[in-house]
Each structure stands twice: as structure tokens, then as C-alpha cells.
């Protein structure tokens, strides 16, 4: 009798997933939005309850925020320190937030390195070689980059630029590590409560792969990651977190399912993503946007058949304008001109953000709809 019931549950789950995948904005917009808002309300209620459960911590944080606000609106000799702390906190929180957006959402994250951190590092790199210095006047740096007015120059190396953008990159990497926590906690909660979720089906496939599964290259990579984490533990997670890895969500799900201690998972993830991985990405970006590499790239554009010259001219004009803006007086403002390249990049950023928002809406709506179908099936079994 027990084996028969287990077979029935697996069958119900597969039917659920085929129905759940139809809940997307372009097929059922009204239904999708309804389940999205219901799930969003449920999330807010759950987090509200957690804040109440941790009342002391919530109260201390509220007192600290209120104290900081009071100091920021009160005149006195402390104003300069409060202003500096406020600016630095918001700047770091900005990069942490972008890091969270990059990894949250079970594969639907916004690629904020490509859209924000990468361009920021590239901008600093180009400015460093043009100005022969990274001692940019602050303000307006980091909001705007202007060459220093002093005649002093320094030898620009990769390490010089790495040191200039290190904290932004580290904060972004810490944010990506924080964004990996939801899959871990979801799988851990599901395992401890004994409830079944879609994550368990993927874990079961990794434990007992079929011949058809092993023919998939992506599945073999997933299984390799799973074995690496299971056999090596902390260092396996560290290796997975230290390389650009779009399948790292599986690491969080695996660690949560097998009740790997929180600090083992998060410690390895934090070190891998905010120390090792971001420095690899920094070096690669700085190397690509070094002065001689950019010049070589622009020169190589003219060798493209038919459209080479047409591509080279706007790129060179854009570079010249960027260099001219670096030598403007501090506080003179930037003369904004809409170029073809800036329009294309703006459209690309807008499309990526739209895709991210749609993916999050679909993901939350599907999670709500699946939970509803599971409840209905359990009522039928009873």
C-alpha cells in the first residue's frame, strides 16, 4: 500500500508542474497577476511575523535608524561625520542591493554586473589611463568622474584600479551571496517540515539519475556540482561560488535539503563571491578596458566587411567625448548628448529590467498557484 501512495504523489506533482508552467503573463495575465499579488501579500505577512518574533532586534534597529535620522537633521559639529557616514552607507547599500538583485529569483536575477558594476569599473579604468591618476575629486566622485586639477601623475597598473573599485565590487559580491540565501532556506524549511516541494524532485533526479538525464550536458554539470558539494563540503561550496556559475542556485538547494549548517554554506558563499569571484571579474574587466586594448578594439572595427567604418566612427567619437568630459572643471556639469551607442545601451538595460520584472511576477505567481493545487490534491486524498 505505501509504494502505491508514493507513486500517486509523484504523478500529481508532475501534473501540477505542467499546469503551473502555463501561469505566465503572456498566456493568462489576469490569473498570473492575481496569484502574484496574493503571494506578495503572503510574503509581507510572513516577514511581518518574523519581525514580531524578533521584536528586540527589530526595536534596536528602529532605535538606531531613528537616532541616525535625528542626528542628520540636527545642526552641530557632528554634521560632517553624519553626512559622510550617510553617503557611504547609501553608496554601499546601493551595491549590496544590486548584488542581491543579480542572484535572487532562482535563475531569473537581473545581471547587474553586466549592467552596472562592469560599466562602473570600465569607466574608472578609462578615466585612470586618461588622467594618469585615480585620485579623482570627491565630490563629484563617485557620481561623476573628473580628472584631478593637480599636475601630479602616478603609474597606473591593474592593481591601482583594483584598489580604487575594490569596495564597490566587494559590496556587490556580498549582495550576491545574500541573494543565494532564499533557495537555501526554502529547501531547509521544506526538509525540516517534511513537506514536498519542486526542489525535492530535482534533488531526487540527482540522487537517482536516469539514462535520459545523463545525456543532458546541463544535467551532468548539475550532478558534478552536487557531488562536489556533497563530497568536499565547505571547500566544494567555495569552489562553486568562486567561479561565474549560473547553476549556483542548486548549491543552495542542495545545502538546504541536506541540512548543511548555515555558516558553512553562507561563509563559503560569501568568501567565494565577495572575495575571489569579484576580483576575477575585476581583473578581467580592467584588462579588457585598458587603454591599449580599447584602442586596438576600435582599430579592429574597420576590418569588418561592409560596416566596419560605419561602426568605427561612432565608437571613436564616443571615446573622444568621454575623454573631453573628464577634463572639464569640477562642478561645470555634463553636456548630455544622445548618441546611438547610449540609446542602444539604454534600450538594452530597459529590456533586461523588464525581463527581470516579468520573470519575478511569473515565478511568484507560479509558486502560489502550485501551492494551491497541492492543497487541493491533499484534500482529495483525505
Amino acid at each position: 500500500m505505501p509504494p502505491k501512495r508514493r507513486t500517486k504523489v509523484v504523478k500529481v506533482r508532475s501534473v501540477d508542474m505542467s499546469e503551473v508552467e502555463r501561469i505566465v503573463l503572456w498566456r493568462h495575465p489576469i490569473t498570473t497577476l492575481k496569484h502574484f499579488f496574493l503571494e506578495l501579500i503572503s510574503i509581507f505577512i510572513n516577514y511581518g511575523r518574523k519581525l514580531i518574533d524578533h521584536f528586540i532586534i527589530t526595536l534596536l534597529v528602529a532605535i538606531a535608524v531613528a537616532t541616525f535620522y535625528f542626528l542628520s537633521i540636527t545642526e552641530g559639529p557632528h554634521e560632517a561625520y553624519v553626512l559622510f557616514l550617510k553617503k557611504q552607507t547609501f553608496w554601499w547599500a546601493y551595491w549590496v542591493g544590486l548584488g542581491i538583485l543579480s542572484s535572487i529569483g532562482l535563475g531569473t536575477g537581473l545581471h547587474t554586473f553586466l549592467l552596472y558594476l562592469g560599466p562602473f569599473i570600465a569607466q574608472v579604468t578609462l578615466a585612470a589611463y586618461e588622467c594618469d591618476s585615480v585620485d579623482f575629486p570627491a565630490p563629484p566622485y563617485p557620481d561623476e568622474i573628473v580628472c584631478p586639477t593637480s599636475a601630479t601623475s602616478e603609474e597606473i597598473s591593474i592593481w591601482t584600479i583594483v584598489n580604487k573599485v575594490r569596495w564597490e565590487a566587494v559590496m556587490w559580491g556580498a549582495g550576491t551571496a545574500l541573494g543565494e540565501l532564499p533557495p537555501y532556506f526554502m529547501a531547509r524549511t521544506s526538509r525540516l517540515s517534511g513537506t514536498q516541494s519542486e526542489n525535492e524532485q530535482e534533488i531526487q533526479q540527482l540522487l537517482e539519475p536516469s539514462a535520459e538525464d545523463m545525456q543532458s550536458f546541463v544535467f551532468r554539470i548539475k550532478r558534478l556540482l552536487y557531488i562536489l558539494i556533497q563530497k568536499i563540503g565547505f571547500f566544494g561550496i567555495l569552489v562553486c561560488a568562486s567561479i561565474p556559475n549560473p547553476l549556483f542556485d542548486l548549491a543552495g538547494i542542495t545545502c538546504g535539503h541536506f541540512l548543511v549548517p548555515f555558516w558553512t554554506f553562507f561563509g563559503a558563499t560569501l568568501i567565494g563571491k565577495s572575495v575571489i569571484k569579484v576580483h576575477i571579474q575585476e581583473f578581467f574587466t580592467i584588462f579588457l578596458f585598458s587603454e591599449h586594448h580599447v584602442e586596438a578594439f576600435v582599430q579592429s572595427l574597420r576590418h569588418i566587411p561592409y560596416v566596419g567604418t560605419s561602426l568605427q566612427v561612432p565608437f571613436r567619437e564616443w571615446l573622444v567625448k568621454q575623454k573631453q568630459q573628464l577634463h572639464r572643471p569640477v562642478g561645470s556639469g555634463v553636456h548630455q548628448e544622445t548618441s546611438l551607442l547610449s540609446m542602444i545601451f539604454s534600450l538594452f538595460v530597459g529590456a533586461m529590467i523588464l525581463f527581470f520584472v516579468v520573470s519575478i511576477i511569473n515565478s511568484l505567481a507560479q509558486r502560489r498557484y502550485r501551492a494551491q493545487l497541492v492543497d487541493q490534491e491533499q484534500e482529495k486524498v483525505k
Side-chain angles (χ1 to χ4, degrees), residues 265-283:
F265 169 72
F266 185 64
T269 303
L270 185 64
I271 295 171
K273 286 183 173 289
S274 67
V275 178
I276 301 174
K277 180 185 171 184
V278 293
H279 279 88
I280 294 173
Q281 292 172 301
E282 275 186 85
F283 279 115

Side-chain angles (χ1 to χ4, degrees), residues 135-141 144-150 325-334:
D135 190 20
F136 309 124
Y141 182 84
E144 297 176 14
I145 299 180
V146 179
C147 289
T149 54
S150 59
Q325 289 179 0
L326 292 171
H327 295 283
R328 72 186 188 277
V330 176
S332 61
V334 182

Side-chain angles (χ1 to χ4, degrees), residues 180-195:
E180 299 295 349
L181 293 180
Y184 170 83
F185 283 120
M186 287 168 59
R188 184 181 178 88
T189 302
S190 176
R191 178 67 184 273
L192 290 173
S193 63
T195 57

Side-chain angles (χ1 to χ4, degrees), residues 345-359:
F345 184 73
S346 297
L347 288 173
F348 175 69
V349 172
M352 293 289 288
I353 293 174
L354 180 63
F355 173 76
F356 171 70
V357 172
V358 170
S359 300

Side-chain angles (χ1 to χ4, degrees), residues 173-324:
T176 63
L178 290 171
E180 299 295 349
L181 293 180
Y184 170 83
F185 283 120
M186 287 168 59
R188 184 181 178 88
T189 302
S190 176
R191 178 67 184 273
L192 290 173
S193 63
T195 57
Q196 294 175 335
S197 67
E198 60 268 28
N199 296 333
E200 289 191 11
Q201 187 177 4
E202 189 169 12
I203 295 294
Q204 192 63 32
Q205 277 185 308
L206 294 171
L207 290 171
E208 301 173 1
S210 63
E212 184 180 354
D213 290 333
M214 293 304 293
Q215 291 178 0
S216 169
F217 175 75
V218 174
F219 181 84
R220 292 201 299 270
I221 295 296
K222 286 184 176 182
R223 183 166 169 80
L224 178 63
L225 293 178
Y226 164 76
I227 293 172
L228 190 66
I229 293 167
Q230 282 293 97
K231 298 293 184 183
I232 309 178
F234 179 90
F235 292 102
I237 302 168
L238 182 64
V239 170
C240 293
S242 299
I243 57 175
N245 181 8
L247 302 176
F248 189 78
D249 283 333
L250 179 64
I253 294 170
T254 302
C255 292
H257 180 80
F258 290 102
L259 305 181
V260 172
F262 170 77
W263 285 111
T264 300
F265 169 72
F266 185 64
T269 303
L270 185 64
I271 295 171
K273 286 183 173 289
S274 67
V275 178
I276 301 174
K277 180 185 171 184
V278 293
H279 279 88
I280 294 173
Q281 292 172 301
E282 275 186 85
F283 279 115
F284 182 72
T285 306
I286 294 168
F287 176 79
L288 282 182
F289 286 90
S290 296
E291 188 175 31
H292 54 288
H293 288 135
V294 172
E295 186 61 32
F297 170 74
V298 174
Q299 289 289 347
S300 66
L301 288 176
R302 62 189 176 90
H303 298 297
I304 300 176
Y306 306 112
V307 296
T309 305
S310 301
L311 287 175
Q312 187 185 40
V313 171
F315 266 100
R316 189 171 291 283
E317 288 179 352
W318 179 81
L319 277 175
V320 170
K321 288 178 181 177
Q322 293 300 309
K323 291 179 179 180
Q324 288 174 348

Side-chain angles (χ1 to χ4, degrees), residues 118-137:
F120 176 74
I121 296 173
Q123 186 182 19
V124 172
T125 303
L126 292 172
Y129 283 104
E130 175 64 20
C131 303
D132 286 328
S133 174
V134 293
D135 190 20
F136 309 124

Side-chain angles (χ1 to χ4, degrees), residues 16-33:
D16 286 348
M17 291 310 298
S18 66
E19 292 183 33
V20 167
E21 289 170 359
R22 297 193 188 100
I23 304 300
V24 288
L25 280 172
W26 49 90
R27 286 185 178 178
H28 305 286
I30 303 300
T31 303
T32 303
L33 287 173

